Amino acid sequence: MEAVRDKAVVVTGAGGGIGAALARRFAAEGARVVVNDLDEAKAKRTAAEIGALAVAGDASGVVPAAREALGGGIDIFCANAGVPTGGGPEASEEDWSLAWDVNVMAHVRAARELLPEWLARGSGRFISTVSAAGLLTMVAAAPYSVTKHGAYAFAEWLSLTYRHRGIDVHAICPQGVRTDMLAATGAAGDLVLTPTAVEPEDVAEALFAAMAEGRFLVLPHPEVGGYYATRAAEPDRWLAGMNHLQQKLEQAEGRS
């Protein structure tokens, strides 16, 4: 894809899963890639595999270090790092705070650092890995669902505010993806996500198709668009269906 050749790209949470797949695809297309992950060993492993640069650490503060590693500006930023916090209102304050910090505020902090540079030159691309939970919801995972809604809302806001000034924004909203994060979702993931799970490389392919077409919404599972439309037009019908899934989950866990 000529649009990314020689571009400076940062991918957070790229030690594995979707982030690693995105980093591999950008590198294969000729981009100069920084692989960021909280786990330094994983970041270095992915970077070595694709001839990229590894910058370990918290995704919230990676922009200055990534700029230094790249020797200049950043053209494309993939806000991919996320945490799959489960539970409901009973989840701890620490779990809620972590989900908010990683799934939303890391995106805000990155944009705060990047926008002055991008607006001055009239170009930049912000890619947010949201999840279908940001459009819909996920049973048994209130902190994750709520904060992914926030991530989607922030991506929307960036797009509507800056698209006329050369800033491209994409929101990636997959359902199940065969990663360690999916494996950690337990019975809820087995019920809702695993049956239609795709590979991380399928997510990268969907993103590149959306970039080529200038589309904001990236749906590796196209059926999510139909669910989203039903949620908006017929909320009670959609909520009844989701409650049915909740009941099935409780049955599977022996809670009913």
Side-chain angles (χ1 to χ4, degrees), residues 119-177:
L119 292 171
R121 74 183 187 206
S123 66
R125 192 181 298 271
F126 193 95
I127 298 165
S128 176
T129 301
V130 175
S131 165
L135 293 174
L136 306 170
T137 195
M138 179 59 188
V139 294
Y144 183 74
S145 298
V146 170
T147 54
K148 286 297 186 176
H149 274 273
Y152 183 76
F154 184 63
E156 269 191 331
W157 186 91
L158 287 176
S159 182
L160 69 89
T161 303
Y162 298 116
R163 60 171 49 205
H164 68 294
R165 299 183 64 180
I167 311 301
D168 296 304
V169 183
H170 307 277
I172 308 175
C173 298
Q175 291 194 112
V177 183

Side-chain angles (χ1 to χ4, degrees), residues 7 38 45 53 70 98 155 192:
K7 298 295 186 184
L38 202 57
R45 184 166 60 244
L53 302 162
L70 289 162
L98 178 64
V192 180

Side-chain angles (χ1 to χ4, degrees), residues 138-141 185-194 249 253:
M138 179 59 188
V139 294
T185 58
D190 291 342
L191 176 66
V192 180
L193 304 174
T194 301
L249 175 61
E253 294 178 335

Side-chain angles (χ1 to χ4, degrees), residues 85-240:
T85 312
E90 79 286 352
S92 69
E93 288 288 323
E94 291 76 13
D95 282 351
W96 277 96
S97 294
L98 178 64
W100 181 255
D101 192 65
V102 178
N103 295 344
V104 181
M105 291 308 299
H107 299 203
V108 174
R109 293 176 187 124
R112 186 184 294 147
E113 288 276 352
L114 293 163
L115 281 169
E117 169 192 348
W118 288 356
L119 292 171
R121 74 183 187 206
S123 66
R125 192 181 298 271
F126 193 95
I127 298 165
S128 176
T129 301
V130 175
S131 165
L135 293 174
L136 306 170
T137 195
M138 179 59 188
V139 294
Y144 183 74
S145 298
V146 170
T147 54
K148 286 297 186 176
H149 274 273
Y152 183 76
F154 184 63
E156 269 191 331
W157 186 91
L158 287 176
S159 182
L160 69 89
T161 303
Y162 298 116
R163 60 171 49 205
H164 68 294
R165 299 183 64 180
I167 311 301
D168 296 304
V169 183
H170 307 277
I172 308 175
C173 298
Q175 291 194 112
V177 183
R178 295 187 185 99
T179 66
D180 291 344
M181 187 178 287
L182 175 61
T185 58
D190 291 342
L191 176 66
V192 180
L193 304 174
T194 301
T196 61
V198 299
E199 297 298 331
E201 291 73 20
D202 296 322
V203 178
E205 179 63 29
L207 170 63
F208 271 71
M211 289 195 296
E213 297 166 14
R215 282 188 288 107
F216 168 76
L217 191 54
V218 183
L219 296 178
H221 297 79
E223 62 270 25
V224 168
Y227 303 153
Y228 187 45
T230 299
R231 176 179 175 270
E234 302 179 72
D236 288 304
R237 176 187 170 198
W238 179 79
L239 286 167

